[in-house]
Amino acid sequence: MSKTAQSDFKRDQATKPVCNRIAIVFDFDDTLAPDTFDELIHRLRLDVREFRQQRYKPLKDAGWDHVAARFYCLIQESKRRKEKITKDYLIQFGRELQPFDGVTEMFDRLHQQVGELNPEIELEFYLITGGFAEVVRHTCIAPYFTKMWGCEFHYAENGEIEFLKRSISHTEKTRYLMHIASGQDQVDGDGRSFAYRDISEAELRIPLAQMIYVGDGASDVPCFSVLNDEGGVTLGVFKGDTAAEWRQQVEVTESQRVMNLASADYREESELMRSLALAIESLCKHISLRQLSTGE
């Protein structure tokens, strides 16, 4: 073996593998758009506060999971009304739902930034929500996402919502981070859990350390914790001009704290967009450094 070949061999053994992908993973409700549960209730011409207090809260107080309680309330409401809540109704609701300011322009801006920093790096967007999959799949921003996961209804023959088919709880969101990391087609697979740390980095599609997670609250805390442990980037968002309400509603431990907390404003010069730009710049430089070891 020549000295050059020996040097390359030793460098390959000593340096970390290169993955030329970055993933930005978003929550949906109150992160990219208004809460779809409240918006749907409003669209049904019902009082949101009253519906929550009289229909949803008693179930929560009785120990129901919050996702199951939301879906059950809507299924019961559909049964009692003449105008049923159907698959087509949810699809139309999704088409009409407007994201927060700047969201629709954000995707191209971030793609452009990555291209300018390092054209060999691919940027992918993912969405994991405890809200309605049928709704988010039909929003104007759905085409920008590589994959989207959310809770699913089972529909009756007439299209009416009938049962909760798939639920995504707070902790289950982390399963989908593992799905993104592994690149597996099915999250459930054959029933065995995906052990992230048992897989070599060279076999991962996107390491957790090259992910950015953006979420608005308690449902995102488990994902914050996982990415913090693995060296990823975590960003929290809040509605309005102050983070006081977020801090009151979301209790986090040291390992669950986000890198920055900003208003859910995606316009070009906003603090959130500056946070995303800095996170992308950091990850791109990290990947570029690794590329040097392989001569890319």
Side-chain angles (χ1 to χ4, degrees), residues 142-244:
Y144 293 104
F145 290 93
T146 300
K147 285 190 177 180
M148 311 171 80
W149 298 279
C151 301
E152 303 266 7
F153 281 108
H154 168 75
Y155 302 98
E157 288 186 6
N158 66 349
E160 183 181 1
I161 59 175
E162 191 170 43
F163 302 112
L164 172 60
K165 183 169 74 173
R166 178 184 291 275
S167 173
I168 299 180
S169 67
H170 298 2
T171 54
E172 284 176 333
K173 281 189 170 186
T174 60
R175 274 201 308 148
Y176 295 88
L177 290 182
M178 301 308 167
H179 173 95
I180 297 167
S182 68
Q184 294 174 357
D185 289 335
Q186 297 295 327
V187 174
D188 297 322
D190 58 2
R192 294 175 298 179
S193 62
F194 171 69
Y196 179 79
R197 292 183 180 178
D198 290 342
I199 305 297
S200 70
E201 195 169 341
E203 296 179 74
L204 295 173
R205 189 172 188 279
I206 307 177
L208 294 176
Q210 291 176 206
M211 292 188 194
I212 302 166
Y213 187 91
V214 186
D216 74 292
S219 69
D220 307 296
V221 167
C223 289
F224 292 154
S225 182
V226 168
L227 284 196
N228 284 341
D229 286 347
E230 298 296 335
V233 178
T234 54
L235 299 174
V237 300
F238 58 86
K239 294 183 292 184
D241 299 322
T242 174

Side-chain angles (χ1 to χ4, degrees), residues 84 91 102 114 124 139 154 165 190 202 228:
K84 302 299 183 183
I91 289 172
V114 171
E124 297 179 349
T139 58
H154 168 75
K165 183 169 74 173
D190 58 2
N228 284 341

Side-chain angles (χ1 to χ4, degrees), residues 15-35:
T15 58
K16 293 184 177 182
V18 179
C19 170
N20 292 333
R21 296 188 190 92
I22 294 171
I24 305 183
V25 186
F26 288 96
D27 174 45
F28 188 79
D29 287 3
D30 285 336
T31 297
L32 292 173
D35 185 286

Side-chain angles (χ1 to χ4, degrees), residues 8-288:
D8 289 342
F9 175 77
K10 289 178 181 178
R11 185 163 66 171
D12 288 343
Q13 296 298 308
T15 58
K16 293 184 177 182
V18 179
C19 170
N20 292 333
R21 296 188 190 92
I22 294 171
I24 305 183
V25 186
F26 288 96
D27 174 45
F28 188 79
D29 287 3
D30 285 336
T31 297
L32 292 173
D35 185 286
T36 50
F37 181 68
D38 288 351
E39 291 293 310
L40 181 57
I41 293 169
H42 180 73
R43 194 176 195 271
L44 293 168
R45 299 184 181 89
L46 298 170
D47 183 271
V48 174
R49 184 184 295 273
E50 185 178 292
F51 191 91
R52 280 183 169 274
Q53 287 295 319
Q54 297 181 6
R55 310 274 283 278
Y56 169 75
K57 190 174 182 297
L59 296 178
K60 278 287 292 174
D61 292 344
W64 281 58
D65 171 79
H66 86 103
V67 173
R70 283 184 167 202
F71 275 64
Y72 181 79
C73 287
L74 289 172
I75 290 166
Q76 294 304 304
E77 175 61 28
S78 182
K79 288 179 178 179
R80 71 176 63 188
R81 63 191 295 125
K82 185 175 181 181
E83 182 189 10
K84 302 299 183 183
I85 304 173
T86 63
K87 181 177 182 178
D88 288 341
Y89 188 93
L90 294 176
I91 289 172
Q92 187 60 33
F93 170 52
R95 288 172 177 162
E96 296 174 3
L97 186 67
Q98 292 300 307
F100 291 141
D101 289 345
V103 168
T104 53
E105 296 82 17
M106 168 194 65
F107 303 96
D108 288 339
R109 286 196 187 112
L110 297 181
H111 273 300
Q112 181 180 351
Q113 181 192 2
V114 171
E116 291 171 354
L117 289 168
N118 187 330
E120 295 179 4
I121 296 175
E122 299 175 24
L123 176 63
E124 297 179 349
F125 296 97
Y126 295 87
L127 188 141
I128 308 171
T129 177
F132 313 112
E134 202 71 70
V135 172
V136 299
R137 281 199 296 259
H138 291 88
T139 58
C140 61
I141 60 174
Y144 293 104
F145 290 93
T146 300
K147 285 190 177 180
M148 311 171 80
W149 298 279
C151 301
E152 303 266 7
F153 281 108
H154 168 75
Y155 302 98
E157 288 186 6
N158 66 349
E160 183 181 1
I161 59 175
E162 191 170 43
F163 302 112
L164 172 60
K165 183 169 74 173
R166 178 184 291 275
S167 173
I168 299 180
S169 67
H170 298 2
T171 54
E172 284 176 333
K173 281 189 170 186
T174 60
R175 274 201 308 148
Y176 295 88
L177 290 182
M178 301 308 167
H179 173 95
I180 297 167
S182 68
Q184 294 174 357
D185 289 335
Q186 297 295 327
V187 174
D188 297 322
D190 58 2
R192 294 175 298 179
S193 62
F194 171 69
Y196 179 79
R197 292 183 180 178
D198 290 342
I199 305 297
S200 70
E201 195 169 341
E203 296 179 74
L204 295 173
R205 189 172 188 279
I206 307 177
L208 294 176
Q210 291 176 206
M211 292 188 194
I212 302 166
Y213 187 91
V214 186
D216 74 292
S219 69
D220 307 296
V221 167
C223 289
F224 292 154
S225 182
V226 168
L227 284 196
N228 284 341
D229 286 347
E230 298 296 335
V233 178
T234 54
L235 299 174
V237 300
F238 58 86
K239 294 183 292 184
D241 299 322
T242 174
E245 185 177 345
W246 196 92
R247 292 190 175 97
Q248 291 172 2
Q249 294 180 353
V250 184
E251 296 182 5
V252 294
T253 65
E254 185 69 30
S255 68
Q256 297 165 343
R257 292 184 178 181
V258 294
M259 290 189 175
N260 194 26
L261 182 60
S263 176
D265 178 358
Y266 294 82
R267 288 174 293 187
E268 190 168 7
E269 298 301 324
S270 69
E271 181 178 350
L272 180 55
M273 283 304 295
R274 294 199 305 272
S275 300
L276 284 167
L278 286 170
I280 284 175
E281 182 179 357
S282 174
L283 292 179
C284 282
K285 288 181 176 178
H286 203 77
I287 294 169
S288 296

